Amino acid sequence: MDNSKKLKDRPSKAALIRIIGNAIPELHHSTQSVSNVKHIVERESTPSRFDKFFVLNRLVDKEEEKYLKDYLESNGFYVSVISFSLSAFKKVGYSLSAIPDAAFWFKKIGPWTQMFRNTAIRTKKNKYLMNNNGARNHALEMYRTRYEWISPWDGNCFLNGNAFAELADAFWGTKKKPSYVITPMQRVDETTDVANDSPITNAIEEPQISFHAESSQRFNENRVYGYQPKVELLKRLGVRGSWDEKKDLYPWKLLKVRKAPDAGDFVWAAGVFRLFSGNAETVNNGASRSYTRGMGIVELIDRVEAVYVKSNLKDQGRKQKVEQALRRRTLVKAGAPGTIPEANNQEDINLDKIKRAVQITFANQEKISYPLETTPIYQENLSSRGLVLFWLKKRVMTLLVALNEGLFSRAIREKVDVVMLIFFLLQNRWQLPIKCKQEQEELALLIEWIDAIFKYLFSYDLSSDLKAVGLSLDSINGPFYIRSYHGMFLALDNNKNKLCLCKREDSDSLLIFDKGKIKKQNGRQLFQLLPTMVGKAVRSKVDDQYNLNIRWHGEHFALMSNGLFLSDRRGRDLSFVDIVKSWELFELV
């Protein structure tokens, strides 16, 4: 692309922008941003055709942000601040669609996949807090109308004198200007004293990119920190390197990149140092750096969320709203047992204990007498709604204990497990059988409480995250699966207080049987019930035994006063569907 005649109003200068973000636990030392900025200001040269700028990108530590801004401005640099807002961050939910399905959260997997799973679920939070490519694009748009070349680089990049000269030659040394200039990077450890005359000897790391003002490509802001945010653009531009070996975005998802229209319109030039950031092990070990980065991202996100959860515990208004939610509804039978047989006789946690734990947590005057749960949850332990209920109660109790003991980051991790249990329940509602209506009532009530705790204590909207993956908390009350026969699902719809027969998990096409009407009427009167049924039911005839034959979705049924039968086309070889027993079990009237 010939960009030589398109810049009449812009000076032939370059804007070199350092973007300074939050330090990642274990990967970066907490003071690395300040020490490296000082090193750049004090020891890096400033050629006449290069103007330097800094972007402070969503820094959580406001004292650090103020110190850096004051220091840089006192040394004559312009500083742009992309502010971190706790009120905005707390509204950001989880990325449920980033993992294959809810069951994947409970699979037995190795530490690497666990790391990817934990970071993937926090993708939206990562995007806001780290704002990696968002800040790069911010810098590009801010300076592209005033400069011919814009270099939105990482905050720890240091250029020696030769590098500036080589960049200048790439920017202005030829009549036909490229759209992009690629500058390889060399990482240095704590023993290396980088100065203006230090030679670049091993620039093999992921490069920095400079953009001509008329270039068309931008960073993909949906590619978050830790997931090849810059590599994605390098691949679009056709820049070859070791990153070509990275075929996956996640272990379960391929990285798909479409070449840009101006792919290949770049040149390589100069080299840049990446100043030491605090962890010597990760300088030359890419695998260690990637793993440490991923785990650090999770820790930082949870740590930031823990800050406002701690403050919310002292908010009396929030406390009152949660307590109102706890009083809103009671179980159908007061004092009904909540034992879950599949739980292998482990100690049960009834809802009264959970209610008391919430009150203690807000009062903060005594300790909850329940140990922190450390047993991992695996998919094979979630084979029924009863087991989901069992683990929900244990995890909610552990979450409350963690809050009570001031372990706020731990509470955030428990919150994620609770979210994923509810996600699993809703996504698998047609595969998880239920034992009795009492079990369902307890489950629905607990989830109502959890939603209130999330909303008022964590400022988290669970419904919004579920809606993004096509689910709703309303479906907790059904229709839900009891058992299946010949591809048909027998289900209970709590909202309508009816038993339903559903075809292929299609809850919108239900054949509804009302126990009250059927039980009180004889066979001939059942004939009059057909108009109240939902679905394409075709009436046949009433025989001598007052049986009613129904053809529905290609299947034949015989409806009688003592139950429902699935039959062949001639009414022979009936398979009994025990609806009468089910009605008694669920006590629908």
Side-chain angles (χ1 to χ4, degrees), residues 347 368-374 394 397-398 401 405:
E347 180 187 358
I368 300 173
S369 57
Y370 183 81
L372 286 166
E373 177 61 54
T374 58
K394 290 184 80 69
M397 277 297 288
T398 302
V401 171
E405 296 183 2

PDB file of all heavy atoms in Angstrom, residues 347 368-374 394 397-398 401 405:
ATOM      1  N   GLU A 347     -23.376 -35.812  55.919  1.00  0.00           N
ATOM      2  CA  GLU A 347     -24.196 -34.912  56.728  1.00  0.00           C
ATOM      3  C   GLU A 347     -25.013 -33.979  55.835  1.00  0.00           C
ATOM      4  O   GLU A 347     -24.483 -33.322  54.958  1.00  0.00           O
ATOM      5  CB  GLU A 347     -23.299 -34.086  57.651  1.00  0.00           C
ATOM      6  CG  GLU A 347     -24.096 -33.132  58.527  1.00  0.00           C
ATOM      7  CD  GLU A 347     -23.193 -32.206  59.317  1.00  0.00           C
ATOM      8  OE1 GLU A 347     -21.965 -32.347  59.199  1.00  0.00           O
ATOM      9  OE2 GLU A 347     -23.724 -31.342  60.021  1.00  0.00           O
ATOM     10  N   ILE A 368     -19.336 -19.346  61.947  1.00  0.00           N
ATOM     11  CA  ILE A 368     -20.216 -20.420  61.490  1.00  0.00           C
ATOM     12  C   ILE A 368     -19.535 -21.748  61.778  1.00  0.00           C
ATOM     13  O   ILE A 368     -18.379 -21.969  61.383  1.00  0.00           O
ATOM     14  CB  ILE A 368     -20.487 -20.290  59.978  1.00  0.00           C
ATOM     15  CG1 ILE A 368     -21.161 -18.941  59.674  1.00  0.00           C
ATOM     16  CG2 ILE A 368     -21.373 -21.428  59.486  1.00  0.00           C
ATOM     17  CD1 ILE A 368     -21.306 -18.650  58.199  1.00  0.00           C
ATOM     18  N   SER A 369     -20.248 -22.630  62.453  1.00  0.00           N
ATOM     19  CA  SER A 369     -19.650 -23.923  62.825  1.00  0.00           C
ATOM     20  C   SER A 369     -19.827 -24.938  61.700  1.00  0.00           C
ATOM     21  O   SER A 369     -20.631 -25.860  61.781  1.00  0.00           O
ATOM     22  CB  SER A 369     -20.291 -24.448  64.109  1.00  0.00           C
ATOM     23  OG  SER A 369     -21.688 -24.561  63.943  1.00  0.00           O
ATOM     24  N   TYR A 370     -19.086 -24.699  60.622  1.00  0.00           N
ATOM     25  CA  TYR A 370     -19.106 -25.625  59.486  1.00  0.00           C
ATOM     26  C   TYR A 370     -17.754 -25.520  58.784  1.00  0.00           C
ATOM     27  O   TYR A 370     -17.272 -24.413  58.540  1.00  0.00           O
ATOM     28  CB  TYR A 370     -20.240 -25.264  58.511  1.00  0.00           C
ATOM     29  CG  TYR A 370     -20.361 -26.230  57.357  1.00  0.00           C
ATOM     30  CD1 TYR A 370     -21.029 -27.429  57.516  1.00  0.00           C
ATOM     31  CD2 TYR A 370     -19.781 -25.946  56.121  1.00  0.00           C
ATOM     32  CE1 TYR A 370     -21.138 -28.336  56.460  1.00  0.00           C
ATOM     33  CE2 TYR A 370     -19.884 -26.838  55.065  1.00  0.00           C
ATOM     34  CZ  TYR A 370     -20.558 -28.033  55.237  1.00  0.00           C
ATOM     35  OH  TYR A 370     -20.650 -28.917  54.200  1.00  0.00           O
ATOM     36  N   PRO A 371     -17.131 -26.668  58.475  1.00  0.00           N
ATOM     37  CA  PRO A 371     -15.799 -26.602  57.853  1.00  0.00           C
ATOM     38  C   PRO A 371     -15.872 -26.197  56.389  1.00  0.00           C
ATOM     39  O   PRO A 371     -16.889 -26.411  55.719  1.00  0.00           O
ATOM     40  CB  PRO A 371     -15.292 -28.043  57.990  1.00  0.00           C
ATOM     41  CG  PRO A 371     -16.547 -28.874  58.002  1.00  0.00           C
ATOM     42  CD  PRO A 371     -17.577 -28.043  58.720  1.00  0.00           C
ATOM     43  N   LEU A 372     -14.807 -25.608  55.888  1.00  0.00           N
ATOM     44  CA  LEU A 372     -14.703 -25.291  54.467  1.00  0.00           C
ATOM     45  C   LEU A 372     -14.669 -26.588  53.662  1.00  0.00           C
ATOM     46  O   LEU A 372     -13.851 -27.470  53.925  1.00  0.00           O
ATOM     47  CB  LEU A 372     -13.438 -24.472  54.188  1.00  0.00           C
ATOM     48  CG  LEU A 372     -13.457 -23.011  54.639  1.00  0.00           C
ATOM     49  CD1 LEU A 372     -12.055 -22.424  54.607  1.00  0.00           C
ATOM     50  CD2 LEU A 372     -14.371 -22.183  53.755  1.00  0.00           C
ATOM     51  N   GLU A 373     -15.544 -26.712  52.690  1.00  0.00           N
ATOM     52  CA  GLU A 373     -15.620 -27.911  51.853  1.00  0.00           C
ATOM     53  C   GLU A 373     -14.489 -27.893  50.829  1.00  0.00           C
ATOM     54  O   GLU A 373     -14.293 -26.905  50.113  1.00  0.00           O
ATOM     55  CB  GLU A 373     -16.965 -27.964  51.135  1.00  0.00           C
ATOM     56  CG  GLU A 373     -17.133 -29.131  50.190  1.00  0.00           C
ATOM     57  CD  GLU A 373     -17.045 -30.465  50.897  1.00  0.00           C
ATOM     58  OE1 GLU A 373     -17.790 -30.679  51.864  1.00  0.00           O
ATOM     59  OE2 GLU A 373     -16.201 -31.285  50.474  1.00  0.00           O
ATOM     60  N   THR A 374     -13.731 -28.981  50.772  1.00  0.00           N
ATOM     61  CA  THR A 374     -12.611 -29.054  49.830  1.00  0.00           C
ATOM     62  C   THR A 374     -12.772 -30.175  48.813  1.00  0.00           C
ATOM     63  O   THR A 374     -11.951 -30.306  47.902  1.00  0.00           O
ATOM     64  CB  THR A 374     -11.286 -29.264  50.585  1.00  0.00           C
ATOM     65  OG1 THR A 374     -11.372 -30.457  51.372  1.00  0.00           O
ATOM     66  CG2 THR A 374     -10.986 -28.070  51.496  1.00  0.00           C
ATOM     67  N   LYS A 394     -23.877 -27.687  49.995  1.00  0.00           N
ATOM     68  CA  LYS A 394     -22.522 -27.721  50.563  1.00  0.00           C
ATOM     69  C   LYS A 394     -21.687 -26.538  50.075  1.00  0.00           C
ATOM     70  O   LYS A 394     -20.940 -25.924  50.842  1.00  0.00           O
ATOM     71  CB  LYS A 394     -21.833 -29.048  50.207  1.00  0.00           C
ATOM     72  CG  LYS A 394     -22.401 -30.260  50.920  1.00  0.00           C
ATOM     73  CD  LYS A 394     -21.636 -31.519  50.614  1.00  0.00           C
ATOM     74  CE  LYS A 394     -20.362 -31.657  51.414  1.00  0.00           C
ATOM     75  NZ  LYS A 394     -20.591 -31.895  52.839  1.00  0.00           N
ATOM     76  N   MET A 397     -22.886 -23.229  51.657  1.00  0.00           N
ATOM     77  CA  MET A 397     -22.407 -23.149  53.041  1.00  0.00           C
ATOM     78  C   MET A 397     -20.929 -22.792  53.088  1.00  0.00           C
ATOM     79  O   MET A 397     -20.499 -21.966  53.899  1.00  0.00           O
ATOM     80  CB  MET A 397     -22.666 -24.470  53.771  1.00  0.00           C
ATOM     81  CG  MET A 397     -24.066 -24.619  54.319  1.00  0.00           C
ATOM     82  SD  MET A 397     -24.487 -23.402  55.591  1.00  0.00           S
ATOM     83  CE  MET A 397     -23.494 -23.981  56.971  1.00  0.00           C
ATOM     84  N   THR A 398     -20.142 -23.410  52.210  1.00  0.00           N
ATOM     85  CA  THR A 398     -18.705 -23.107  52.179  1.00  0.00           C
ATOM     86  C   THR A 398     -18.469 -21.658  51.775  1.00  0.00           C
ATOM     87  O   THR A 398     -17.586 -20.982  52.321  1.00  0.00           O
ATOM     88  CB  THR A 398     -17.980 -24.054  51.203  1.00  0.00           C
ATOM     89  OG1 THR A 398     -18.203 -25.402  51.609  1.00  0.00           O
ATOM     90  CG2 THR A 398     -16.488 -23.793  51.193  1.00  0.00           C
ATOM     91  N   VAL A 401     -19.196 -19.593  54.843  1.00  0.00           N
ATOM     92  CA  VAL A 401     -18.114 -19.744  55.824  1.00  0.00           C
ATOM     93  C   VAL A 401     -16.897 -18.908  55.410  1.00  0.00           C
ATOM     94  O   VAL A 401     -16.278 -18.227  56.235  1.00  0.00           O
ATOM     95  CB  VAL A 401     -17.718 -21.224  55.985  1.00  0.00           C
ATOM     96  CG1 VAL A 401     -16.460 -21.359  56.836  1.00  0.00           C
ATOM     97  CG2 VAL A 401     -18.859 -22.016  56.610  1.00  0.00           C
ATOM     98  N   GLU A 405     -15.228 -15.852  57.504  1.00  0.00           N
ATOM     99  CA  GLU A 405     -13.839 -15.882  57.980  1.00  0.00           C
ATOM    100  C   GLU A 405     -12.949 -14.873  57.258  1.00  0.00           C
ATOM    101  O   GLU A 405     -11.741 -14.844  57.477  1.00  0.00           O
ATOM    102  CB  GLU A 405     -13.274 -17.298  57.825  1.00  0.00           C
ATOM    103  CG  GLU A 405     -13.993 -18.327  58.699  1.00  0.00           C
ATOM    104  CD  GLU A 405     -13.386 -19.711  58.596  1.00  0.00           C
ATOM    105  OE1 GLU A 405     -12.384 -19.877  57.878  1.00  0.00           O
ATOM    106  OE2 GLU A 405     -13.934 -20.637  59.234  1.00  0.00           O
TER     107      GLU A 405
END
